């Protein structure tokens, strides 16, 4: 809830991506704090930021701490409201049951941060004070971060904080209708039947009160750390931090961000990932069904997707994620259930050839989607709709158009088509109908959003294949 509010704020006021949203009100973010920036596996992923309990002074060698000079300025006054409505209907006919489910979910997130203040370090003074200083390379935090190879240090140089008591309000309304007869027979002929139509309405209204001086965003300057403890602040936006290590021929930096791929071809990038989609399609139908059902449930909560992505990332990098660190019991159980489903299907010695790595690819793409896109996609996870969306994803990658009268696109009518338009529009792809044909057109500066959406759709469709 807090994380969604801070993320929405930065999407509105920081399109350049300089600031990082604070994920929780209890995160200790102060100027000169050390934050670990984790470089991700896929070039289209945004880096992850892990706040630590340590400051720059904690890892400096010597007994003289640096006293920063801070300037404070008014940032802006902010109030935002974000709403989403999803409707759906499903029918199922079984030997002993005929079930009709209808539902409508409406949610609204209102953020009233009020007047915000910007706190910023005087970098000129910091450079003077840190000249000739070195880091204590024996410090546990430095040792553990250096070993990860994908992680670098960032120094908090800017904070955006609240100046008055404020609030984040989340309102959710769920309405459902169940009709028909449902019979479940157990091993001892125990029978449970529901014969009458029923309806269910649930409402929740949660208000999070935020005190003054709560950080909601921050900016970093990365550190380039030499093997002997000397360091440099990366003052330019196009320079990256990292740790210097001894190589066979020369010294290089580990943890530095990869060079961005210049204008990747969407079709070619998807073709490179075909083996992962095929690996998911090759799983047993029962396994794929369970995976799709679990992912659909996780997609209803952005936080759950982020937690799952983090755990899968650690597993795929050979680390042992601590599931006990996942605070919500329901999230912990769902993550463990997903791991139990895919970990028995390992590759031939390479993590990249495993179903676990293929699942990591899909979840990483889901984690990159905007909240609104994720909400829409989570309501479109029936096999027939996913197969239709997969055809559209191929159309986006290859260009051209598709006939809406084709058998594969038959589910894309009425509300489903409206959702499809919203889904692709949220990823900078405009769907245009010309008669009975739909064509895709990229909006200005789409970035990696179309690719990320196509990866998510193709992966989910692979799990839904022949279900």
């Amino acid at each position: 809830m807090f994380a969604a509010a801070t993320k929405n704020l930065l999407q509105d006021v920081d399109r350049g991506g300089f600031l990082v949203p604070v994920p929780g009100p209890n995160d200790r973010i102060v100027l000169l704090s050390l934050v670990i920036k984790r470089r991700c596996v896929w070039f289209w992923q945004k880096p992850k930021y892990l706040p630590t309990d340590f400051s720059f002074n904690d890892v400096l060698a010597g007994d003289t701490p640096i006293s920063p000079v801070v300037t404070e300025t008014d940032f802006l006054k902010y109030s935002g409201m974000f709403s989403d409505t999803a409707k759906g209907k499903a029918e199922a006919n079984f030997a002993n049951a005929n079930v009709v489910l209808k539902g409508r979910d409406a949610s609204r997130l209102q953020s009233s941060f009020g007047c915000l203040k910007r706190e910023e370090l005087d970098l000129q003074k910091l450079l003077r004070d840190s000249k000739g200083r070195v880091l204590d390379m024996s410090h546990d935090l430095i040792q553990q971060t250096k070993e990860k190879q994908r992680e670098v240090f960032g120094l908090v140089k800017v904070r955006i904080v609240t100046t008055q008591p404020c609030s984040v309000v989340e309102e959710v309304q769920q309405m459902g209708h169940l009709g028909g007869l449902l019979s479940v027979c157990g091993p001892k002929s125990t029978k449970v039947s529901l014969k009458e139509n029923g309806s269910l309405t649930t409402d929740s209204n949660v208000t999070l009160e935020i005190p003054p001086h709560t950080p909601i965003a921050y900016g970093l300057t990365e550190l380039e750390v030499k093997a002997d403890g000397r360091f440099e602040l990366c003052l330019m936006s196009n320079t990256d931090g990292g740790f210097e290590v001894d190589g066979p021929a020369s010294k290089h930096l580990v943890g530095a961000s990869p060079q961005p791929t210049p204008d990747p071809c969407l079709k070619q990038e998807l073709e490179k990932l075909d083996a992962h989609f095929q690996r998911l399609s090759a799983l047993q139908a029962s396994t794929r069904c369970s995976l799709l059902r679990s992912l659909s449930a996780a997609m209803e909560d952005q936080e759950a997707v982020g937690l799952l992505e983090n755990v899968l990332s650690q597993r795929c990098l050979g680390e042992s994620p601590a599931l006990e660190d996942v605070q919500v019991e329901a999230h912990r159980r769902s993550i463990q259930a997903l791991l139990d489903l895919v970990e028995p299907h390992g590759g031939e010695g390479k993590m990249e050839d495993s179903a676990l790595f293929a699942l990591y690819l899909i979840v990483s793409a889901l984690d990159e989607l905007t909240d609104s896109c994720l909400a829409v996609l989570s309501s479109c996870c029936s096999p027939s709709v996913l197969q239709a969306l997969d055809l559209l994803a191929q159309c986006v990658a290859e260009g051209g158009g598709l006939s809406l009268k084709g058998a594969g696109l038959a589910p894309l009518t009425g509300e489903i088509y409206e959702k499809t338009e919203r889904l692709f529009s949220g990823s900078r792809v405009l769907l245009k109908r010309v008669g009975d044909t739909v064509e895709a057109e990229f909006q200005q500066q789409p970035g990696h959003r179309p690719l990320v959406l196509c990866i998510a759709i193709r992966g989910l469709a692979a799990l839904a294949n022949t279900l």
Side-chain angles (χ1 to χ4, degrees):
M1 189 169 153
F2 183 88
T6 57
K7 183 178 177 181
N8 287 334
L9 166 68
L10 295 191
Q11 286 176 351
D12 285 339
V13 304
D14 184 47
R15 295 298 178 92
F18 167 72
L19 295 173
V20 180
V22 175
N26 293 324
D27 285 296
R28 183 177 176 270
I29 302 292
V30 298
L31 295 176
L32 281 185
S33 282
L34 287 175
V35 173
I36 295 174
K37 176 183 175 182
R38 174 177 293 169
R39 178 167 61 89
C40 299
V41 173
W42 315 104
F43 70 86
W44 36 261
Q45 282 182 286
K46 300 181 186 72
K48 309 296 182 183
Y49 297 92
L50 312 174
T52 74
D53 294 327
F54 298 90
S55 74
F56 188 43
N57 284 320
D58 293 330
V59 297
L60 274 177
D63 298 327
T64 306
I66 290 177
S67 300
V69 171
V70 180
T71 59
E72 297 183 357
T73 56
D74 292 334
F75 186 55
L76 52 80
K77 185 175 182 179
Y78 181 84
S79 179
M81 182 178 294
F82 304 86
S83 61
D84 187 69
T85 301
K87 293 183 287 186
K89 176 182 178 180
E91 298 185 23
N93 294 287
F94 303 96
N96 295 317
N98 179 26
V99 181
V100 179
L101 291 169
K102 297 180 182 179
R104 180 180 181 274
D105 292 348
S107 63
R108 184 174 67 174
L109 181 69
Q110 180 175 349
S111 309
S112 301
F113 287 123
C115 296
L116 300 174
K117 180 174 62 178
R118 177 188 178 99
E119 300 176 346
E120 187 167 3
L121 286 176
D122 184 338
L123 286 180
Q124 293 286 354
K125 184 177 186 301
L126 179 61
L127 287 171
R128 291 194 300 268
D129 291 347
S130 61
K131 187 176 181 179
R133 302 290 297 270
V134 296
L135 300 181
D136 178 7
M137 299 302 288
S138 65
H139 194 283
D140 288 344
L141 180 65
I142 293 179
Q143 290 292 319
Q144 293 172 17
T145 305
K146 183 179 177 181
E147 291 173 358
K148 301 295 184 181
Q149 295 192 349
R150 289 182 176 273
E151 297 181 349
V152 302
F153 279 139
L155 191 66
V156 177
K157 64 176 181 178
V158 174
R159 284 202 321 167
I160 308 299
V161 299
T162 59
T163 61
Q164 61 196 66
C166 51
S167 63
V168 176
V169 180
E170 183 180 51
E171 298 178 2
V172 178
Q173 185 179 57
Q174 295 178 308
M175 292 176 285
H177 178 82
L178 171 65
L181 171 66
L182 175 64
S183 301
V184 181
C185 298
K188 295 183 179 180
S189 299
T190 303
K191 188 173 183 179
V192 181
S193 300
L194 176 63
K195 296 185 179 180
E196 297 181 354
N197 292 343
S199 62
L200 173 67
T201 300
T202 62
D203 296 276
S204 66
N205 188 320
V206 181
T207 299
L208 178 65
E209 299 292 342
I210 302 171
H213 311 299
T214 298
I216 61 173
Y218 58 93
L220 299 173
T221 182
E222 295 181 28
L223 292 179
E224 182 179 324
V225 182
K226 308 297 183 182
D228 59 2
R230 292 180 295 117
F231 61 89
E232 294 181 5
L233 299 178
C234 299
L235 303 178
M236 303 295 290
S237 59
N238 59 349
T239 56
D240 301 306
F243 289 90
E244 185 181 52
V245 296
D246 293 325
S250 62
K251 292 189 175 182
H252 59 283
L253 290 176
V254 297
S257 301
Q259 293 297 319
T261 304
D263 299 325
C265 173
L266 186 55
K267 181 180 178 182
Q268 292 178 0
E269 293 299 332
L270 288 174
E271 288 176 347
K272 293 177 185 178
L273 303 173
D274 270 344
H276 300 297
F277 303 137
Q278 293 171 10
R279 198 163 287 118
L280 292 176
S281 294
L283 295 174
Q284 294 180 351
S286 59
T287 301
R288 285 187 284 111
C289 183
S290 297
L291 282 174
L292 182 60
R293 184 169 59 248
S294 297
L295 285 179
S296 303
M299 288 162 60
E300 297 175 1
D301 183 351
Q302 181 77 34
E303 181 183 1
V305 174
L307 291 170
L308 177 58
E309 193 277 339
N310 185 51
V311 169
L312 290 174
S313 172
Q314 293 179 64
R315 284 289 172 97
C316 290
L317 293 175
E319 303 171 10
S320 299
L323 286 179
E324 60 270 16
D325 293 340
V326 179
Q327 298 179 355
V328 180
E329 175 65 24
H331 290 164
R332 189 161 57 246
R333 289 199 305 267
S334 62
I335 291 173
Q336 186 60 62
L338 279 165
L339 293 175
D340 292 341
L341 285 169
V342 294
E343 286 191 323
H345 304 278
E348 298 178 359
K350 292 183 178 181
M351 174 59 72
E352 292 81 358
D353 297 333
S354 67
L356 181 69
F357 195 81
L359 180 64
Y360 171 50
L361 166 67
I362 309 311
V363 174
S364 297
L366 294 174
D367 191 41
E368 293 294 310
L369 294 178
T370 64
D371 291 352
S372 57
C373 283
L374 194 64
V376 174
L377 186 56
S378 68
S379 66
C380 297
C381 279
S382 69
S384 60
V385 174
L386 285 175
Q387 297 301 330
L389 292 178
D390 190 27
L391 292 175
L392 273 182
Q394 295 178 45
C395 174
V396 170
E398 298 174 0
L402 282 176
S403 172
L404 289 171
K405 290 186 176 181
L409 296 185
L412 300 186
T413 58
E415 286 183 11
I416 298 298
Y417 185 78
E418 292 177 5
K419 287 184 178 182
T420 302
E421 285 186 318
R422 290 165 51 199
L423 176 64
F424 280 84
S425 177
S427 296
R428 303 286 186 179
V429 178
L430 180 64
L431 297 182
K432 300 174 64 176
R433 292 186 64 166
V434 181
D436 292 326
T437 302
V438 60
E439 298 177 354
E441 178 181 303
F442 291 105
Q443 299 179 13
Q444 288 186 345
Q445 299 180 335
H448 299 318
R449 289 189 183 184
L451 174 61
V452 169
L453 177 62
C454 289
I455 292 172
I457 289 174
R458 299 219 63 191
L460 294 173
L463 293 175
N465 185 30
T466 69
L467 288 182

